[in-house]
Amino acid sequence: MDCCVIPLRHGGLSLVQTTDFFYPLVEDPYMMGKIACANVLSDLYAMGITECDNMLMLLSVSQKMNDKDRERVMPLMIRGFRDAAEEGGTSVTGGQTVINPWIIIGGVASVVCQPNDFILPDGAVPGDVLVLTKPLGTQVAVNAHQWLEQPDRWNKIKLVITKQEVKEAYQEAMFSMATLNRTAAGLMHKFQAHAATDVTGFGLLGHANNLATQQRNDVAFVIHNLPIIAKMAAVSKACGNIFNLVQGTSSETSGGLLVCLPREQAAKFCSEMKSQSLGAGGQGAWIIGIVEKGDRRARIIDKPRIIEVPPRGSQVANQDNNSASPLPGPNLS
């Protein structure tokens, strides 16, 4: 599971905890702090938990940094982490800081829960619908932005994307990664979600497979639609598919929740996600597939529909994004 659930000795309560850390992947240290905190909290949100009682911060300061850079960068990362924790209704009360060759930031999130506070990720049934709450392509966007300064790399993708579009995709990826999955966690309860996980380092297909193996029923996940930050599928193809984005194994950082919902609830979940996300920095949610009887595996169909998600602030983003994407095939409307 995304978290450990530890039954306590007192009154039927459980301690739910998770931890994660990683290396910086964006240039803005404040946003990096927010992303790191959002990534830690996301494991709680994947179980439908909307509250966090306490957070610890794990910080590694690079020994390669000079005093001036250290005094500028590290406080900004710490402030970003703390601000994201506050946004999630919790606070950072401690942690650990060490000197290391590399900058590392992460943390620990803990909450004491009653059984009805969380949703175990094992209840998917045939007929459920798969919903994703953030677009894919963050790894591609971050790398494409780095390639603006690497002519040999840039020359491979410049025919499919402009420099301005790369910058917009990078900004979208950064803000998407820093957005908490808290809204989706709350709506999981409202719309009777049967299971969920967050999409991170193993990519959409990797985490879908992991979720499928945890199910009590003999089910399989079939993914038809891939919401992807605009132009990132073309970039991935142009550079030789080194990310395997459309194949579902491209790493994501602080990605969205993959949620199994009753069919009659999925469109309503997406609609409410879209309306609530507009004020919370998100983009909405997309129906991406179905749950059918099967062998507890996940697969992406051979030619999935690519949903180009325009970066917020771009001209195209002002148009309706059609969050509740229709499922393909007969008798599925």
Side-chain angles (χ1 to χ4, degrees):
M1 296 193 298
D2 291 299
C3 304
C4 63
V5 180
I6 307 164
L8 300 178
R9 298 185 299 274
H10 312 291
L13 299 174
S14 294
L15 173 65
V16 182
Q17 275 189 324
T18 185
T19 183
D20 206 349
F21 64 88
F22 48 67
Y23 309 101
L25 71 163
V26 298
E27 296 172 350
D28 184 329
Y30 175 77
M31 290 301 294
M32 190 61 239
K34 292 195 71 172
I35 291 167
C37 184
N39 190 61
V40 175
L41 287 170
S42 192
D43 287 336
L44 295 183
Y45 299 147
M47 296 189 67
I49 297 170
T50 58
E51 304 299 329
C52 176
D53 289 332
N54 183 62
M55 292 197 77
L56 304 176
M57 188 187 307
L58 305 175
L59 192 63
S60 166
V61 181
S62 174
Q63 61 195 23
K64 298 178 183 178
M65 298 177 75
N66 59 46
D67 290 344
K68 182 179 179 181
D69 287 344
R70 186 182 301 126
E71 290 170 3
R72 291 177 61 193
V73 170
M74 304 317 293
L76 286 171
M77 290 179 67
I78 292 169
R79 182 156 64 91
F81 194 100
R82 289 185 180 276
D83 285 354
E86 184 176 339
E87 184 183 339
T90 187
S91 59
V92 180
T93 61
Q96 176 76 335
T97 303
V98 298
I99 301 293
N100 209 42
W102 313 278
I103 298 174
I104 299 173
I105 185 167
V108 180
S110 306
V111 61
V112 176
C113 289
Q114 295 180 333
N116 60 353
D117 290 334
F118 57 86
I119 299 171
L120 290 174
D122 62 359
V125 297
D128 279 354
V129 169
L130 301 174
V131 168
L132 184 65
T133 67
K134 287 185 184 180
L136 306 168
T138 55
Q139 182 190 43
V140 182
V142 168
N143 277 271
H145 189 257
Q146 293 173 354
W147 295 347
L148 291 175
E149 307 300 326
Q150 302 174 29
D152 56 328
R153 299 272 195 168
W154 171 245
N155 288 337
K156 292 182 179 180
I157 65 172
K158 66 181 182 181
L159 295 180
V160 300
I161 193 168
T162 67
K163 291 186 176 182
Q164 181 59 33
E165 288 170 333
V166 168
K167 293 174 182 177
E168 289 177 351
Y170 171 74
Q171 290 292 321
E172 173 59 36
M174 185 165 58
F175 284 113
S176 177
M177 290 185 288
T179 299
L180 302 183
N181 283 318
R182 194 182 187 191
T183 298
L187 294 179
M188 284 170 58
H189 290 273
K190 181 175 181 178
F191 295 105
Q192 294 91 50
H194 291 152
T197 189
D198 62 332
V199 178
T200 50
F202 295 111
L204 174 62
L205 186 59
H207 288 284
N209 257 317
N210 185 58
L211 186 62
T213 62
Q214 305 300 317
Q215 301 311 304
R216 288 177 279 125
N217 298 307
D218 294 331
V219 295
F221 297 166
V222 183
I223 297 169
H224 303 93
N225 301 323
L226 297 175
I228 297 174
I229 297 172
K231 296 295 185 78
M232 293 305 100
V235 169
S236 181
K237 183 177 180 180
C239 63
N241 279 326
I242 58 174
F243 300 103
N244 288 321
L245 177 59
V246 176
Q247 291 72 31
T249 56
S250 180
S251 295
E252 304 291 336
T253 298
S254 189
L257 300 188
L258 174 64
V259 188
C260 302
L261 287 158
R263 182 179 188 83
E264 64 274 12
Q265 302 285 7
K268 290 182 270 187
F269 178 96
C270 290
S271 177
E272 190 145 346
M273 268 295 298
K274 185 174 184 180
S275 62
Q276 291 197 29
S277 293
L278 291 177
Q283 286 265 43
W286 298 265
I287 291 173
I288 66 166
I290 59 174
V291 178
E292 62 183 23
K293 190 171 178 61
D295 57 357
R296 295 188 176 89
R297 294 183 184 179
R299 67 180 177 89
I300 298 174
I301 63 172
D302 288 341
K303 294 182 179 180
R305 174 189 173 212
I306 306 300
I307 302 171
E308 298 274 341
V309 180
R312 66 201 86 185
S314 67
Q315 188 173 9
V316 183
N318 295 325
Q319 301 172 1
D320 183 18
N321 200 23
N322 188 23
S323 287
S325 309
L327 288 170
N331 302 319
L332 289 175
S333 61

